Amino acid sequence: MSVPLGHNGCDTRNDILKRDLIQVSFVPRTRDCKVAAGELADLYTGKDIHFVRGATTSDDVQIDHVVALSDAWQKGAQQLSPERRRDMANDPLNLQAVDGPTNQAKGDSDAATWLPPSKGYRCTYVVRQIRVKAAYGLWVTGAEKAAMSTELDSCG
């Protein structure tokens, strides 16, 4: 991978957890690669979430693709090389640790059909989507462009 954090010996999920959580602790003897616990100030909801690795708790914090992979595929990613698609899927710019249920509700929506519940983060979210789509040559629909423009017009 030619994206930041690629080929560092850790998996992408743990890299993003390590980046986005605070007060992080690691599973022993994993070279600080596996996050055991931490605190997430969730940008999508504004909630603080205590993360603990485990079979019944790990889904409380999920890694969202800011530009959903299905949305990306429909808007140009199918024309990218396999390596470039892998880079997009693992690019830290396109990844965010978030509240699990909120990520599930988002699904593969674009900005025309879903924005974070936390209104204070919407501008940053839209800018980030635009940056990802520009970096990978993806397009937007008319409805998506209108929703993005509306949001950008309200940025402070």
Side-chain angles (χ1 to χ4, degrees):
M1 283 183 291
S2 60
V3 296
L5 304 177
H7 299 293
N8 67 357
C10 301
D11 66 71
T12 302
R13 173 178 168 77
N14 281 289
D15 281 336
I16 301 304
L17 289 172
K18 195 178 339 181
R19 180 194 72 187
D20 293 352
L21 274 61
I22 60 169
Q23 299 174 359
V24 175
S25 63
F26 297 95
V27 174
R29 296 178 297 286
T30 63
R31 300 175 337 278
D32 289 351
C33 273
K34 280 191 177 180
V35 174
E39 302 296 325
L40 175 67
D42 180 42
L43 297 171
Y44 285 6
T45 64
K47 297 187 307 188
D48 291 328
I49 302 169
H50 179 67
F51 171 80
V52 178
R53 175 180 297 279
T56 61
T57 57
S58 287
D59 279 350
D60 293 349
V61 173
Q62 297 179 5
I63 307 303
D64 180 41
H65 287 93
V66 176
V67 174
L69 297 181
S70 173
D71 179 55
W73 182 263
Q74 296 169 42
K75 296 172 183 166
Q78 78 278 8
Q79 297 174 7
L80 300 174
S81 70
E83 295 80 16
R84 194 78 175 128
R85 285 196 303 267
R86 186 178 58 244
D87 283 350
M88 182 188 61
N90 291 283
D91 189 335
L93 177 63
N94 194 30
L95 298 170
Q96 182 70 47
V98 298
D99 174 65
T102 302
N103 186 44
Q104 292 299 116
K106 174 191 171 189
D108 61 1
S109 298
D110 65 18
T113 55
W114 188 90
L115 290 170
S118 176
K119 291 182 180 177
Y121 185 68
R122 288 181 178 178
C123 183
T124 301
Y125 176 82
V126 167
V127 167
R128 204 160 162 188
Q129 279 201 333
I130 291 167
R131 288 180 60 209
V132 169
K133 288 192 173 209
Y136 292 94
L138 307 176
W139 60 81
V140 297
T141 64
E144 188 179 10
K145 181 179 178 183
M148 288 174 159
S149 295
T150 298
E151 195 54 46
L152 292 175
D153 287 345
S154 70
C155 295

PDB file of all heavy atoms in Angstrom, residues 124-147:
ATOM      1  N   THR A 124     -16.799  19.458   8.327  1.00  0.00           N
ATOM      2  CA  THR A 124     -15.546  18.713   8.245  1.00  0.00           C
ATOM      3  C   THR A 124     -15.754  17.401   7.499  1.00  0.00           C
ATOM      4  O   THR A 124     -14.930  17.007   6.667  1.00  0.00           O
ATOM      5  CB  THR A 124     -14.990  18.449   9.659  1.00  0.00           C
ATOM      6  OG1 THR A 124     -14.784  19.704  10.297  1.00  0.00           O
ATOM      7  CG2 THR A 124     -13.700  17.671   9.619  1.00  0.00           C
ATOM      8  N   TYR A 125     -16.861  16.744   7.767  1.00  0.00           N
ATOM      9  CA  TYR A 125     -17.188  15.478   7.111  1.00  0.00           C
ATOM     10  C   TYR A 125     -17.314  15.667   5.598  1.00  0.00           C
ATOM     11  O   TYR A 125     -16.733  14.911   4.819  1.00  0.00           O
ATOM     12  CB  TYR A 125     -18.484  14.925   7.709  1.00  0.00           C
ATOM     13  CG  TYR A 125     -18.995  13.666   7.068  1.00  0.00           C
ATOM     14  CD1 TYR A 125     -18.479  12.428   7.422  1.00  0.00           C
ATOM     15  CD2 TYR A 125     -20.015  13.700   6.116  1.00  0.00           C
ATOM     16  CE1 TYR A 125     -18.955  11.263   6.852  1.00  0.00           C
ATOM     17  CE2 TYR A 125     -20.499  12.542   5.538  1.00  0.00           C
ATOM     18  CZ  TYR A 125     -19.968  11.328   5.908  1.00  0.00           C
ATOM     19  OH  TYR A 125     -20.440  10.171   5.334  1.00  0.00           O
ATOM     20  N   VAL A 126     -18.033  16.676   5.179  1.00  0.00           N
ATOM     21  CA  VAL A 126     -18.218  16.936   3.749  1.00  0.00           C
ATOM     22  C   VAL A 126     -16.882  17.296   3.098  1.00  0.00           C
ATOM     23  O   VAL A 126     -16.563  16.800   2.010  1.00  0.00           O
ATOM     24  CB  VAL A 126     -19.294  18.027   3.520  1.00  0.00           C
ATOM     25  CG1 VAL A 126     -19.274  18.534   2.089  1.00  0.00           C
ATOM     26  CG2 VAL A 126     -20.675  17.481   3.868  1.00  0.00           C
ATOM     27  N   VAL A 127     -16.088  18.128   3.751  1.00  0.00           N
ATOM     28  CA  VAL A 127     -14.779  18.479   3.203  1.00  0.00           C
ATOM     29  C   VAL A 127     -13.926  17.217   3.051  1.00  0.00           C
ATOM     30  O   VAL A 127     -13.240  17.033   2.041  1.00  0.00           O
ATOM     31  CB  VAL A 127     -14.074  19.535   4.083  1.00  0.00           C
ATOM     32  CG1 VAL A 127     -12.605  19.683   3.718  1.00  0.00           C
ATOM     33  CG2 VAL A 127     -14.802  20.869   3.986  1.00  0.00           C
ATOM     34  N   ARG A 128     -13.998  16.345   4.023  1.00  0.00           N
ATOM     35  CA  ARG A 128     -13.214  15.115   3.958  1.00  0.00           C
ATOM     36  C   ARG A 128     -13.688  14.228   2.805  1.00  0.00           C
ATOM     37  O   ARG A 128     -12.879  13.649   2.076  1.00  0.00           O
ATOM     38  CB  ARG A 128     -13.347  14.382   5.292  1.00  0.00           C
ATOM     39  CG  ARG A 128     -12.220  13.470   5.572  1.00  0.00           C
ATOM     40  CD  ARG A 128     -12.151  13.178   7.037  1.00  0.00           C
ATOM     41  NE  ARG A 128     -11.357  11.990   7.239  1.00  0.00           N
ATOM     42  CZ  ARG A 128     -11.242  11.390   8.390  1.00  0.00           C
ATOM     43  NH1 ARG A 128     -11.864  11.868   9.449  1.00  0.00           N
ATOM     44  NH2 ARG A 128     -10.512  10.324   8.503  1.00  0.00           N
ATOM     45  N   GLN A 129     -15.013  14.138   2.606  1.00  0.00           N
ATOM     46  CA  GLN A 129     -15.519  13.368   1.470  1.00  0.00           C
ATOM     47  C   GLN A 129     -15.009  13.950   0.154  1.00  0.00           C
ATOM     48  O   GLN A 129     -14.591  13.207  -0.739  1.00  0.00           O
ATOM     49  CB  GLN A 129     -17.051  13.355   1.462  1.00  0.00           C
ATOM     50  CG  GLN A 129     -17.657  12.349   2.384  1.00  0.00           C
ATOM     51  CD  GLN A 129     -19.078  12.004   1.986  1.00  0.00           C
ATOM     52  OE1 GLN A 129     -19.790  12.788   1.380  1.00  0.00           O
ATOM     53  NE2 GLN A 129     -19.498  10.803   2.344  1.00  0.00           N
ATOM     54  N   ILE A 130     -15.041  15.255   0.041  1.00  0.00           N
ATOM     55  CA  ILE A 130     -14.572  15.910  -1.183  1.00  0.00           C
ATOM     56  C   ILE A 130     -13.090  15.617  -1.406  1.00  0.00           C
ATOM     57  O   ILE A 130     -12.667  15.314  -2.527  1.00  0.00           O
ATOM     58  CB  ILE A 130     -14.853  17.425  -1.124  1.00  0.00           C
ATOM     59  CG1 ILE A 130     -16.365  17.672  -1.196  1.00  0.00           C
ATOM     60  CG2 ILE A 130     -14.120  18.170  -2.231  1.00  0.00           C
ATOM     61  CD1 ILE A 130     -16.790  19.086  -0.839  1.00  0.00           C
ATOM     62  N   ARG A 131     -12.302  15.678  -0.346  1.00  0.00           N
ATOM     63  CA  ARG A 131     -10.862  15.408  -0.472  1.00  0.00           C
ATOM     64  C   ARG A 131     -10.608  13.969  -0.926  1.00  0.00           C
ATOM     65  O   ARG A 131      -9.757  13.717  -1.785  1.00  0.00           O
ATOM     66  CB  ARG A 131     -10.148  15.681   0.850  1.00  0.00           C
ATOM     67  CG  ARG A 131     -10.053  17.173   1.176  1.00  0.00           C
ATOM     68  CD  ARG A 131      -9.338  17.444   2.488  1.00  0.00           C
ATOM     69  NE  ARG A 131      -7.969  16.935   2.450  1.00  0.00           N
ATOM     70  CZ  ARG A 131      -7.297  16.527   3.519  1.00  0.00           C
ATOM     71  NH1 ARG A 131      -7.849  16.572   4.718  1.00  0.00           N
ATOM     72  NH2 ARG A 131      -6.056  16.091   3.410  1.00  0.00           N
ATOM     73  N   VAL A 132     -11.349  13.012  -0.369  1.00  0.00           N
ATOM     74  CA  VAL A 132     -11.178  11.610  -0.760  1.00  0.00           C
ATOM     75  C   VAL A 132     -11.599  11.422  -2.216  1.00  0.00           C
ATOM     76  O   VAL A 132     -10.873  10.811  -3.011  1.00  0.00           O
ATOM     77  CB  VAL A 132     -11.978  10.668   0.173  1.00  0.00           C
ATOM     78  CG1 VAL A 132     -12.023   9.249  -0.380  1.00  0.00           C
ATOM     79  CG2 VAL A 132     -11.393  10.682   1.580  1.00  0.00           C
ATOM     80  N   LYS A 133     -12.757  11.969  -2.569  1.00  0.00           N
ATOM     81  CA  LYS A 133     -13.236  11.796  -3.944  1.00  0.00           C
ATOM     82  C   LYS A 133     -12.283  12.449  -4.943  1.00  0.00           C
ATOM     83  O   LYS A 133     -12.019  11.883  -6.015  1.00  0.00           O
ATOM     84  CB  LYS A 133     -14.662  12.324  -4.086  1.00  0.00           C
ATOM     85  CG  LYS A 133     -15.652  11.402  -3.390  1.00  0.00           C
ATOM     86  CD  LYS A 133     -17.087  11.708  -3.726  1.00  0.00           C
ATOM     87  CE  LYS A 133     -17.977  10.618  -3.131  1.00  0.00           C
ATOM     88  NZ  LYS A 133     -19.181  10.406  -3.883  1.00  0.00           N
ATOM     89  N   ALA A 134     -11.730  13.587  -4.597  1.00  0.00           N
ATOM     90  CA  ALA A 134     -10.772  14.251  -5.486  1.00  0.00           C
ATOM     91  C   ALA A 134      -9.483  13.434  -5.598  1.00  0.00           C
ATOM     92  O   ALA A 134      -8.935  13.273  -6.693  1.00  0.00           O
ATOM     93  CB  ALA A 134     -10.472  15.659  -4.985  1.00  0.00           C
ATOM     94  N   ALA A 135      -9.013  12.900  -4.485  1.00  0.00           N
ATOM     95  CA  ALA A 135      -7.758  12.140  -4.484  1.00  0.00           C
ATOM     96  C   ALA A 135      -7.841  10.893  -5.352  1.00  0.00           C
ATOM     97  O   ALA A 135      -6.835  10.467  -5.932  1.00  0.00           O
ATOM     98  CB  ALA A 135      -7.382  11.756  -3.046  1.00  0.00           C
ATOM     99  N   TYR A 136      -9.034  10.315  -5.445  1.00  0.00           N
ATOM    100  CA  TYR A 136      -9.188   9.066  -6.187  1.00  0.00           C
ATOM    101  C   TYR A 136      -9.985   9.235  -7.482  1.00  0.00           C
ATOM    102  O   TYR A 136     -10.343   8.246  -8.124  1.00  0.00           O
ATOM    103  CB  TYR A 136      -9.792   7.992  -5.278  1.00  0.00           C
ATOM    104  CG  TYR A 136      -8.804   7.611  -4.198  1.00  0.00           C
ATOM    105  CD1 TYR A 136      -8.829   8.228  -2.951  1.00  0.00           C
ATOM    106  CD2 TYR A 136      -7.802   6.688  -4.456  1.00  0.00           C
ATOM    107  CE1 TYR A 136      -7.883   7.924  -1.983  1.00  0.00           C
ATOM    108  CE2 TYR A 136      -6.859   6.372  -3.488  1.00  0.00           C
ATOM    109  CZ  TYR A 136      -6.911   6.996  -2.262  1.00  0.00           C
ATOM    110  OH  TYR A 136      -5.957   6.683  -1.311  1.00  0.00           O
ATOM    111  N   GLY A 137     -10.250  10.480  -7.879  1.00  0.00           N
ATOM    112  CA  GLY A 137     -10.919  10.740  -9.149  1.00  0.00           C
ATOM    113  C   GLY A 137     -12.348  10.248  -9.209  1.00  0.00           C
ATOM    114  O   GLY A 137     -12.831   9.851 -10.265  1.00  0.00           O
ATOM    115  N   LEU A 138     -13.052  10.290  -8.084  1.00  0.00           N
ATOM    116  CA  LEU A 138     -14.446   9.852  -8.033  1.00  0.00           C
ATOM    117  C   LEU A 138     -15.368  11.041  -8.292  1.00  0.00           C
ATOM    118  O   LEU A 138     -15.012  12.173  -8.023  1.00  0.00           O
ATOM    119  CB  LEU A 138     -14.752   9.243  -6.662  1.00  0.00           C
ATOM    120  CG  LEU A 138     -13.797   8.136  -6.195  1.00  0.00           C
ATOM    121  CD1 LEU A 138     -14.154   7.682  -4.793  1.00  0.00           C
ATOM    122  CD2 LEU A 138     -13.791   6.970  -7.175  1.00  0.00           C
ATOM    123  N   TRP A 139     -16.534  10.781  -8.792  1.00  0.00           N
ATOM    124  CA  TRP A 139     -17.460  11.865  -9.074  1.00  0.00           C
ATOM    125  C   TRP A 139     -18.577  11.917  -8.048  1.00  0.00           C
ATOM    126  O   TRP A 139     -18.691  11.050  -7.187  1.00  0.00           O
ATOM    127  CB  TRP A 139     -18.010  11.767 -10.495  1.00  0.00           C
ATOM    128  CG  TRP A 139     -18.758  10.508 -10.810  1.00  0.00           C
ATOM    129  CD1 TRP A 139     -20.053  10.218 -10.495  1.00  0.00           C
ATOM    130  CD2 TRP A 139     -18.262   9.365 -11.502  1.00  0.00           C
ATOM    131  NE1 TRP A 139     -20.387   8.975 -10.953  1.00  0.00           N
ATOM    132  CE2 TRP A 139     -19.315   8.429 -11.583  1.00  0.00           C
ATOM    133  CE3 TRP A 139     -17.033   9.051 -12.079  1.00  0.00           C
ATOM    134  CZ2 TRP A 139     -19.170   7.192 -12.214  1.00  0.00           C
ATOM    135  CZ3 TRP A 139     -16.897   7.817 -12.704  1.00  0.00           C
ATOM    136  CH2 TRP A 139     -17.947   6.914 -12.763  1.00  0.00           C
ATOM    137  N   VAL A 140     -19.406  12.940  -8.153  1.00  0.00           N
ATOM    138  CA  VAL A 140     -20.572  13.113  -7.287  1.00  0.00           C
ATOM    139  C   VAL A 140     -21.809  13.264  -8.172  1.00  0.00           C
ATOM    140  O   VAL A 140     -21.721  13.750  -9.301  1.00  0.00           O
ATOM    141  CB  VAL A 140     -20.436  14.335  -6.341  1.00  0.00           C
ATOM    142  CG1 VAL A 140     -19.271  14.162  -5.398  1.00  0.00           C
ATOM    143  CG2 VAL A 140     -20.304  15.613  -7.117  1.00  0.00           C
ATOM    144  N   THR A 141     -22.942  12.865  -7.638  1.00  0.00           N
ATOM    145  CA  THR A 141     -24.202  13.060  -8.348  1.00  0.00           C
ATOM    146  C   THR A 141     -24.664  14.497  -8.146  1.00  0.00           C
ATOM    147  O   THR A 141     -24.145  15.210  -7.267  1.00  0.00           O
ATOM    148  CB  THR A 141     -25.288  12.111  -7.809  1.00  0.00           C
ATOM    149  OG1 THR A 141     -25.545  12.460  -6.429  1.00  0.00           O
ATOM    150  CG2 THR A 141     -24.861  10.652  -7.921  1.00  0.00           C
ATOM    151  N   GLY A 142     -25.664  14.903  -8.898  1.00  0.00           N
ATOM    152  CA  GLY A 142     -26.220  16.238  -8.722  1.00  0.00           C
ATOM    153  C   GLY A 142     -26.782  16.441  -7.326  1.00  0.00           C
ATOM    154  O   GLY A 142     -26.569  17.487  -6.700  1.00  0.00           O
ATOM    155  N   ALA A 143     -27.501  15.435  -6.819  1.00  0.00           N
ATOM    156  CA  ALA A 143     -28.079  15.534  -5.473  1.00  0.00           C
ATOM    157  C   ALA A 143     -26.986  15.618  -4.412  1.00  0.00           C
ATOM    158  O   ALA A 143     -27.091  16.370  -3.441  1.00  0.00           O
ATOM    159  CB  ALA A 143     -28.997  14.341  -5.199  1.00  0.00           C
ATOM    160  N   GLU A 144     -25.935  14.859  -4.607  1.00  0.00           N
ATOM    161  CA  GLU A 144     -24.812  14.876  -3.659  1.00  0.00           C
ATOM    162  C   GLU A 144     -24.111  16.237  -3.688  1.00  0.00           C
ATOM    163  O   GLU A 144     -23.790  16.807  -2.644  1.00  0.00           O
ATOM    164  CB  GLU A 144     -23.850  13.755  -4.042  1.00  0.00           C
ATOM    165  CG  GLU A 144     -22.741  13.516  -3.077  1.00  0.00           C
ATOM    166  CD  GLU A 144     -21.841  12.361  -3.517  1.00  0.00           C
ATOM    167  OE1 GLU A 144     -21.967  11.870  -4.653  1.00  0.00           O
ATOM    168  OE2 GLU A 144     -20.994  11.975  -2.706  1.00  0.00           O
ATOM    169  N   LYS A 145     -23.899  16.763  -4.878  1.00  0.00           N
ATOM    170  CA  LYS A 145     -23.263  18.077  -5.006  1.00  0.00           C
ATOM    171  C   LYS A 145     -24.110  19.148  -4.333  1.00  0.00           C
ATOM    172  O   LYS A 145     -23.583  20.019  -3.621  1.00  0.00           O
ATOM    173  CB  LYS A 145     -23.055  18.432  -6.483  1.00  0.00           C
ATOM    174  CG  LYS A 145     -22.371  19.774  -6.672  1.00  0.00           C
ATOM    175  CD  LYS A 145     -22.155  20.092  -8.136  1.00  0.00           C
ATOM    176  CE  LYS A 145     -21.505  21.462  -8.269  1.00  0.00           C
ATOM    177  NZ  LYS A 145     -21.346  21.851  -9.670  1.00  0.00           N
ATOM    178  N   ALA A 146     -25.428  19.085  -4.520  1.00  0.00           N
ATOM    179  CA  ALA A 146     -26.316  20.064  -3.886  1.00  0.00           C
ATOM    180  C   ALA A 146     -26.236  19.961  -2.369  1.00  0.00           C
ATOM    181  O   ALA A 146     -26.163  20.995  -1.681  1.00  0.00           O
ATOM    182  CB  ALA A 146     -27.756  19.860  -4.378  1.00  0.00           C
ATOM    183  N   ALA A 147     -26.245  18.750  -1.849  1.00  0.00           N
ATOM    184  CA  ALA A 147     -26.170  18.563  -0.385  1.00  0.00           C
ATOM    185  C   ALA A 147     -24.825  19.055   0.145  1.00  0.00           C
ATOM    186  O   ALA A 147     -24.766  19.712   1.193  1.00  0.00           O
ATOM    187  CB  ALA A 147     -26.367  17.096  -0.033  1.00  0.00           C
TER     188      ALA A 147
END
